[in-house]
């Protein structure tokens, strides 16, 4: 059975992601650092244009990282719980794994690369594999801005993506 695949391009605002992370205190500079994160995806995207599901999703993840000299190695294990959408009724919960490193350029700038794997988010899609090089700027210790691009390696990954992420720590 042969299927005709059609490529469609759309533009628009995506969903909004809110997250909070708890960082466990460490007892030694040589210890592995761990964070426990929670997130909520608010449905701000236009689901009728296919930019989102129109539902609230939740996620939990464990981040582990280790300092080796000036380089930080890190990994993430997580799981997404997706809301039941009437437009996208094939959505399913799924896991994710990320691995990467970060290297400082100066006191306020750093760069790194993240490899990201995600299980299929629905019964009609496949898993995604992406690589994300990024550049991060911290104008003051509490605030950071990360600029990134992504290259996907599977049919269900984006070919190319660009974005920015604003972070605040207290």
């Amino acid at each position: 059975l042969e299927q005709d695949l059609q490529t469609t391009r759309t533009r628009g605002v995506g969903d909004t992601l809110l997250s909070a992370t708890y960082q466990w205190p460490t007892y030694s500079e040589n210890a592995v650092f761990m964070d426990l994160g929670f997130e909520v995806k608010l449905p701000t995207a236009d689901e009728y244009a296919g930019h989102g599901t129109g539902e609230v999703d939740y996620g939990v993840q464990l981040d582990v990282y280790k300092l080796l000299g000036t380089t930080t190695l890190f990994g993430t294990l997580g799981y997404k719980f997706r809301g039941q959408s009437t437009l996208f009724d094939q959505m399913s919960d799924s896991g994710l794994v990320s691995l990467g490193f970060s290297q400082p350029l100066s006191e306020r700038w750093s760069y790194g690369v993240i490899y990201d794997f995600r299980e299929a988010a629905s019964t009609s899609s496949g898993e995604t594999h992406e690589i994300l090089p990024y550049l991060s700027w911290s104008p003051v210790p509490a605030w950071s801005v990360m600029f990134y691009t992504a290259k996907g390696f599977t049919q269900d990954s984006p070919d190319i993506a660009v974005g920015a992420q604003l972070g605040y720590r207290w």
Side-chain angles (χ1 to χ4, degrees), residues 15-155:
D15 290 323
T16 300
L17 186 66
L18 302 174
S19 64
T21 302
Y22 173 75
Q23 185 178 56
W24 273 290
T26 58
Y27 301 101
S28 163
E29 286 186 19
N30 296 325
V32 172
F33 297 89
M34 291 193 304
D35 298 343
L36 182 60
F38 300 94
E39 67 181 27
V40 177
K41 182 207 70 160
L42 302 176
T44 55
D46 183 353
E47 71 257 39
Y48 297 102
H51 298 165
T53 63
E55 297 297 321
V56 176
D57 296 343
Y58 302 93
V60 61
Q61 69 184 44
L62 177 66
D63 300 317
V64 178
Y65 48 102
K66 174 78 174 154
L67 297 172
L68 294 175
T70 60
T71 302
T72 302
L73 302 177
F74 54 86
T76 297
L77 290 173
Y79 202 78
K80 303 284 183 176
F81 302 91
R82 292 187 172 79
Q84 297 300 309
S85 170
T86 55
L87 289 176
F88 300 96
D89 60 353
Q90 298 176 340
M91 298 301 294
S92 58
D93 299 342
S94 61
L96 61 99
V97 176
S98 294
L99 299 170
F101 76 90
S102 177
Q103 182 71 39
L105 289 168
S106 70
E107 188 176 317
R108 295 184 180 190
W109 289 90
S110 63
Y111 72 95
V113 175
I114 302 168
Y115 168 76
D116 198 27
F117 163 78
R118 295 175 187 266
E119 288 183 314
S122 76
T123 56
S124 63
S125 68
E127 61 190 36
T128 61
H129 297 261
E130 302 168 9
I131 192 159
L132 296 96
Y134 67 89
L135 182 64
S136 182
W137 173 55
S138 191
V140 294
W143 288 94
S144 66
V145 181
M146 182 175 80
F147 306 96
Y148 62 90
T149 184
K151 165 70 176 132
F153 297 103
T154 63
Q155 182 174 340

